[in-house]
Amino acid sequence: GRLDPITGKLEYCSAGHPPAMLLRANGKMELLTEGGMLLGVLPDAPYLRGSVDLAAGDVLLTYSDGVIESLNKTEEEFGIARLETQLRLAAGTQVPGLADPNSPLNLAETNAEGLLFSVLGAVQDFAGTHQLVDDLSVAIIRRSVPENPQATSLDRLHLFF
């Protein structure tokens, strides 16, 4: 993918990876699904490129399949639903069924590092003593709400992985 830190425009292609999650500042969750099959499987495979704009307060979560396929002692997968729930909890936002989905998010005080450690901790807690069989790769980008309206866009982008 390619992210313009000035405008917040992200161009991406999943190429066989799980869809990235974009948690908007208004609480809407978007799955970034544009792409194609696993990169390198077929030499002439077609790929689609997606594009989104990250606005102030938005959080982008990318992850490897090892995160959602992590198993607990009963061989249950962590899954996309738990990942979304954990991201929402870590971001201090509404979790469908647990809070009012129409109230606005408050992401102003949640940094990318805190979100990352919360997500990874939830996966590790879920797996418990069950051996991990795949990598756990997570990257989080958060476009912060500017404290100073005169700040440049570069001052408002936080990446942690």
Side-chain angles (χ1 to χ4, degrees):
R2 179 176 30 203
L3 174 63
D4 182 329
I6 304 296
T7 65
K9 182 175 182 156
L10 172 69
E11 294 178 339
Y12 71 93
C13 176
S14 69
H17 289 281
M21 294 181 175
L22 177 57
L23 180 58
R24 297 286 188 182
N26 66 5
K28 181 180 176 190
M29 178 66 75
E30 298 176 26
L31 296 180
L32 306 185
T33 58
E34 296 295 336
M37 68 173 19
L38 189 62
L39 190 61
V41 173
L42 295 175
D44 296 327
Y47 293 92
L48 300 174
R49 180 175 58 194
S51 178
V52 293
D53 292 316
L54 299 180
D58 289 350
V59 175
L60 176 70
L61 168 71
T62 62
Y63 54 96
S64 65
D65 59 354
V67 172
I68 57 175
E69 293 173 359
S70 291
L71 301 173
N72 65 11
K73 64 182 176 184
T74 62
E75 302 293 315
E76 181 181 14
E77 288 188 346
F78 189 73
I80 289 178
R82 280 188 184 88
L83 184 59
E84 177 183 343
T85 297
Q86 186 58 40
L87 178 60
R88 288 180 177 280
L89 288 170
T93 178
Q94 314 80 17
V95 176
L98 297 180
D100 177 9
N102 296 316
S103 64
L105 293 177
N106 181 10
L107 296 177
E109 297 178 17
T110 308
N111 65 29
E113 181 179 7
L115 293 170
L116 176 87
F117 285 117
S118 178
V119 168
L120 286 176
V123 174
Q124 290 174 334
D125 288 348
F126 176 82
T129 58
H130 195 281
Q131 182 178 359
L132 297 174
V133 294
D134 203 350
D135 67 293
L136 295 181
S137 300
V138 177
I140 294 185
I141 297 173
R142 179 185 170 274
R143 193 138 193 217
S144 62
V145 178
E147 293 177 22
N148 173 3
Q150 303 303 319
T152 67
S153 293
L154 289 173
D155 295 331
R156 294 180 254 160
L157 188 64
H158 303 273
L159 168 65
F160 206 87
F161 58 98

